[in-house]
Amino acid sequence: MKKKSTSQSAFFNTRVLLASVFCSAGALIALFGSGAFSNASAQANSAPETKAQQFGQTTVIHALHSDLSRPLREQPLIWPPMEAEHEANLNPKIPHQHQDGPDPVIQSSFWQRMINMPAVPAPLLTWNGIPYPGVGCNCAPPDTDGEVGKSQYVQMVNEGFQVFDKVTGTSVFGPVAITSVWSGFGGACQNGGSGDPIVVYDQLSDRWIISQFAVPSGASVPQDECIAVSQTGDATGAWYRYDFHLTSNFLDYPKLGVWPDGYYMSANVFNTSGTAFLGPQPFVFDRVKMLVGDPSATSQTRGIIGGSSEESFLPADVDGIVPPPVGDPNHFVAFPQGSPLIYKVWAYHVDFTTPANSTFTLEASVPAASFTALCSTTRNCVPQLGSSANLDAIADRMMFRNAYRRFSDGHESLLDNYTVSANSVAGIRWIELRRTQPGNWGVFQQSTYQPDTTWRWMGSIASDNQGNIALGFSASSSSSNPQIRYAGRLTTDPLNTLSGEQHLFDGTGSQTGTSNRWGDYSDITVDPVDDCTFYYTNEYYATTGSFNWRTRIGYFRFTGCTAPQEGTAHFVVTACTGGAAISNASVSIDSRPYGATLSNGTYDAILTAGSHSYSVTKSGVGTQTGNFTITNGQTTNVNVCLGSTSSPTPTASVAPSPTPTATSAPTATATATATSTATATPTATPGQITLSVRGYVVGGKRRADLTWSGATSNNVDVYRNGARIVTTTNDGFYTDKIGGRGSGTFTYQVCEAGTQTCSNQATVTF
């Protein structure tokens, strides 16, 4: 937690006034955002306040409140804040009983000489992310993180939120305060949001999940977790919002991971004065219910694990299109502990139907190579050019994320990293744990990356679909300002080696003041479309000073990486009687929860080529099951009806779709043109492109959101009332800023660019 403080005394006092920081801004947002939702938006709903319930060793926590937000694109943009005063916040350090030892896995200079060709090319593009003050935080460090989706990149910092086009880096929304997401929600999430933000992308469902902790009324430290799940794959749209009161203690450093059966979270728990570490605590949230905004969604926890002597851990976060085995628990990996050192791997199995059956058990104790702890007695550790204030390496925990990937050959990988002392500078210990079913987890690779006398820390690690690994980090020394760099390895490189270090962005200033706080975490993620392109974000300084940090985002990929064999299952779910679209129907594929249908009854899942089974259900309506086949590079239309006793067998038809190659990676620069060109009225081709449209008014002017699927070309033509108004990227979304006021009816179609292969007609009336 890195909020500003008006006190310079003990740690506890720095948190006393947290809840008041956003009172004025939150009230202002609420005034702007108090208008009624459009007719197309679901009405807000809330669950009654319910106390936690105990089922055996499992505590079930009901949401204090939940609802559906208005679309973010309709929210007032608040930037910059009016406040100018600031002060850094110390977060409590996790105590260790570590015994230093020689590091036997420092990458040797021999392998450096052997690997003389860079494994990783230079960045394809970098751009500026959210700068200080992070909208309304006036704080340090920024807690920089971000995630890439189908067409967007979402970044979060304390206390800012911004959405970018992932190809061009152009901002499509924001920056705004995170509290904008919670405008009108009330309670701690609207009025006491306090940072430690996280954004993850749920690739199975094509949804975004964002979170931050909050200070409830009457408390002095964060005890609630505010979690929002996007209603669609568009992060600028509406969000299902939840407030969970998780503890009466101080909930610090919460980190999320996506898993098929839940959104898992770890937290470091302290007493309310921040003076005593009580232990790590795991949580899980009901993903299936939260995807449809169900107010009965709950959280579960097994309580604090092991007490103050237990090391903190991170939950696994799924990468790639091959999901974990059916029924597989989430795998939490802990910071090394004990003598001899081990990595504890914890298995969290959740049962939301029968909570007493949920378990959190130790599934593996994996030997860890010894190391020397970095900055064990101080946080004034990492040197930088032009500043006597050294930086905090946060070398007491695993760094976000614990990246999980299951490969096509069946083996599974967990990638983690943390910072150690290596030859008197900071180096990054990175590990890859593997298991081949039904075997258990073991070390496949572990190495300390320390190629020279530069200090490297604040890492984040992931792999692409071919097993190539990239590690991003901060780098600094007494002769250089902090920089953003990355290194990597091809899957064919010698084990335990990284090479090809690149500079994503070089800072030109150093940090003074801010109590030495830096980063807290950074984030590297992998493009879900090509499963090759790495996106990385971290902080830097443009000029030497206090509280004027900047953030940078960039992407790169290994030259030889190709997309996996995959295709799209396009579900169209309707009522068996009458054919009306059924929204919020839950879709399971191959016995795993995947996603939920949108307002037009559709849901798209990217899957491996081959045969698959499905089950589609909606409470009170019905359930349908069946099978379909995915062909590489194609879209399979799966038509499902619910509510009939006849149970017709859905038929799957195959239509071409873009082959996910480098052309679907971030290389295209297609630009929409707003010229209205009179052309022949397009003719719809049934069964190819499905279009829906939603109208609403912003500032008295009319807009229409178009959502489509099934188009196969890189670009599409959008027609309004028979005239082409734009040629735009085929990303499934387009907003037509019609303008004007008053009533009117508009009919839309979307066509393959330059052709008469078009969608159905969709009409909106104002």
Side-chain angles (χ1 to χ4, degrees):
M1 178 168 100
K2 283 48 117 197
K3 294 281 291 172
K4 80 155 253 199
S5 169
T6 58
S7 169
Q8 300 186 29
S9 58
F11 172 82
F12 171 76
N13 291 331
T14 64
R15 304 184 184 276
V16 171
L17 299 181
L18 286 173
S20 67
V21 175
F22 278 96
C23 287
S24 299
L28 181 61
I29 296 170
L31 288 173
F32 279 110
S34 60
F37 286 16
S38 69
N39 292 335
S41 297
Q43 297 300 309
N45 58 75
S46 63
E49 185 167 345
T50 309
K51 292 183 179 180
Q53 297 173 283
Q54 199 69 29
F55 297 87
Q57 298 182 51
T58 295
T59 302
V60 174
I61 303 167
H62 297 258
L64 296 181
H65 181 54
S66 68
D67 72 358
L68 174 64
S69 78
R70 61 189 293 184
L72 287 188
R73 68 181 76 92
E74 298 177 15
Q75 300 280 21
L77 190 150
I78 300 174
W79 177 270
M82 298 302 294
E83 289 189 71
E85 296 181 2
H86 43 254
E87 182 180 323
N89 237 22
L90 287 176
N91 66 346
K93 193 173 177 66
I94 300 172
H96 296 296
Q97 299 178 1
H98 176 74
Q99 297 181 13
D100 290 345
D103 190 334
V105 295
I106 295 178
Q107 186 172 325
S108 70
S109 59
F110 170 77
W111 287 121
Q112 290 291 337
R113 291 192 300 269
M114 290 292 291
I115 306 175
N116 52 24
M117 294 297 292
V120 184
L124 297 171
L125 181 70
T126 75
W127 68 91
N128 275 321
I130 305 172
Y132 169 84
V135 183
C137 186
N138 293 289
C139 61
D143 289 7
T144 313
D145 67 297
E147 176 72 282
V148 57
K150 282 187 177 179
S151 62
Q152 298 172 332
Y153 184 88
V154 177
Q155 187 192 42
M156 294 183 78
V157 300
N158 287 320
E159 285 272 344
F161 174 91
Q162 190 164 7
V163 183
F164 301 89
D165 181 291
K166 77 174 188 181
V167 177
T168 65
T170 303
S171 177
V172 296
F173 178 78
V176 296
I178 299 174
T179 49
S180 295
V181 180
W182 301 96
S183 175
F185 186 77
C189 293
Q190 178 174 334
N191 303 311
S194 300
D196 270 26
I198 287 294
V199 55
V200 290
Y201 175 70
D202 184 341
Q203 186 168 329
L204 300 181
S205 64
D206 183 29
R207 303 290 182 90
W208 299 92
I209 303 91
I210 61 174
S211 73
Q212 71 169 344
F213 57 23
V215 180
S217 177
S220 59
V221 293
Q223 299 173 339
D224 288 18
E225 192 70 14
C226 306
I227 298 180
V229 179
S230 64
Q231 189 184 32
T232 70
D234 180 7
T236 74
W239 293 73
Y240 296 118
R241 306 183 293 190
Y242 293 86
D243 177 5
F244 292 95
H245 180 68
L246 297 182
T247 179
S248 59
N249 296 306
F250 169 29
L251 185 83
D252 194 34
Y253 210 72
K255 298 291 173 284
L256 283 177
V258 174
W259 208 250
D261 61 2
Y263 297 129
Y264 288 79
M265 190 184 88
S266 62
N268 302 328
V269 181
F270 293 80
N271 63 356
T272 54
S273 64
T275 57
F277 178 58
L278 304 181
Q281 186 166 356
F283 299 87
V284 58
F285 303 87
D286 193 335
R287 173 180 177 269
V288 174
K289 288 187 175 182
M290 294 173 76
L291 285 174
V292 298
D294 190 332
S296 68
T298 59
S299 173
Q300 289 188 17
T301 182
R302 300 282 289 184
I304 294 172
I305 303 299
S308 60
S309 61
E310 193 65 54
E311 295 293 349
S312 62
F313 39 54
L314 292 177
D317 184 36
V318 172
D319 286 340
I321 64 169
V322 185
V326 175
D328 196 40
N330 190 280
H331 308 283
F332 284 60
V333 177
F335 191 79
Q337 57 197 285
S339 181
L341 282 176
I342 58 170
Y343 300 109
K344 287 186 177 181
V345 183
W346 299 90
Y348 200 158
H349 164 74
V350 67
D351 188 330
F352 285 108
T353 303
T354 309
N357 291 340
S358 297
T359 58
F360 189 83
T361 56
L362 182 64
E363 65 174 333
S365 295
V366 181
S370 62
F371 63 90
T372 297
L374 181 72
C375 308
S376 59
T377 60
T378 179
R379 287 198 153 168
N380 305 349
C381 188
V382 180
Q384 49 181 342
L385 176 65
S387 174
S388 59
N390 293 339
L391 303 175
D392 183 1
I394 312 185
D396 59 355
R397 65 199 70 185
M398 291 288 193
M399 289 283 97
F400 185 67
R401 297 174 299 132
N402 173 18
Y404 169 92
R405 183 180 288 273
R406 188 181 182 201
F407 291 85
S408 57
D409 65 1
H411 85 266
E412 298 164 273
S413 170
L414 288 168
L415 288 169
D416 288 277
N417 83 99
Y418 52 98
T419 307
V420 301
S421 177
N423 294 322
S424 300
V425 300
I428 296 179
R429 170 69 63 83
W430 61 276
I431 62 171
E432 181 181 10
L433 306 182
R434 283 196 183 186
R435 72 172 181 178
T436 303
Q437 293 293 333
N440 211 335
W441 295 102
V443 171
F444 182 72
Q445 301 184 81
Q446 62 175 333
S447 182
T448 299
Y449 182 64
Q450 184 262 310
D452 53 38
T453 57
T454 294
W455 295 57
R456 293 168 175 82
W457 81 108
M458 205 55 59
S460 187
I461 191 168
S463 69
D464 62 24
N465 78 92
Q466 295 180 342
N468 306 313
I469 292 173
L471 171 71
F473 48 86
S474 294
S476 183
S477 71
S478 58
S479 59
S480 64
N481 303 118
Q483 302 173 349
I484 306 174
R485 301 186 189 180
Y486 59 92
R489 69 180 310 276
L490 297 171
T491 189
T492 54
D493 286 343
L495 291 178
N496 308 310
T497 59
L498 296 176
S499 65
E501 184 168 308
Q502 299 288 344
H503 293 230
L504 187 138
F505 196 77
D506 289 347
T508 51
S510 293
Q511 177 176 277
T512 61
T514 74
S515 299
N516 311 99
R517 305 295 291 115
W518 183 269
D520 249 21
Y521 41 98
S522 64
D523 200 3
I524 195 165
T525 56
V526 185
D527 190 320
V529 178
D530 66 7
D531 211 6
C532 286
T533 305
F534 293 88
Y535 282 71
Y536 185 53
T537 184
N538 203 338
E539 76 159 298
Y540 73 97
Y541 271 69
T543 58
T544 297
S546 176
F547 291 95
N548 60 345
W549 47 261
R550 299 290 182 264
T551 66
R552 196 78 176 178
I553 305 161
Y555 60 77
F556 58 91
R557 64 175 169 269
F558 293 86
T559 304
C561 184
T562 57
Q565 298 283 302
E566 63 185 21
T568 300
H570 176 64
F571 286 82
V572 181
V573 182
T574 58
C576 294
T577 301
I582 296 180
S583 63
N584 283 343
S586 297
V587 180
S588 291
I589 300 174
D590 300 331
S591 301
R592 304 173 183 87
Y594 257 71
T597 56
L598 303 176
S599 59
N600 62 359
T602 66
Y603 162 69
D604 288 345
I606 300 176
L607 302 167
T608 56
S611 299
H612 299 271
S613 63
Y614 71 84
S615 175
V616 179
T617 185
K618 184 168 184 178
S619 178
V621 180
T623 298
Q624 184 60 264
T625 62
N627 300 283
F628 60 94
T629 300
I630 291 294
T631 303
N632 183 44
Q634 295 185 337
T635 293
T636 299
N637 295 324
V638 185
N639 302 307
V640 180
C641 77
L642 299 180
S644 171
T645 57
S646 59
S647 300
T649 302
T651 58
S653 59
V654 177
S657 70
T659 300
T661 62
T663 57
S664 38
T667 55
T669 56
T671 303
T673 57
T675 304
S676 178
T677 304
T679 62
T681 302
T683 302
T685 302
Q688 298 294 310
I689 306 173
T690 303
L691 172 67
S692 63
V693 61
R694 182 180 73 91
Y696 56 98
V697 175
V698 177
K701 296 187 178 181
R702 299 168 297 185
R703 293 188 182 185
D705 281 351
L706 281 67
T707 304
W708 68 89
S709 61
T712 64
S713 54
N714 290 332
N715 300 316
V716 296
D717 295 330
V718 177
Y719 289 81
R720 184 208 305 144
N721 295 341
R724 188 176 72 234
I725 59 172
V726 69
T727 298
T728 187
T729 304
N730 179 22
D731 58 8
F733 299 99
Y734 179 72
T735 296
D736 181 22
K737 298 180 180 179
I738 303 168
R741 299 175 184 270
S743 60
T745 298
F746 301 91
T747 300
Y748 292 89
Q749 282 188 281
V750 171
C751 307
E752 307 282 6
T755 76
Q756 297 297 299
T757 301
C758 301
S759 70
N760 57 291
Q761 293 186 343
T763 299
V764 61
T765 300
F766 293 89

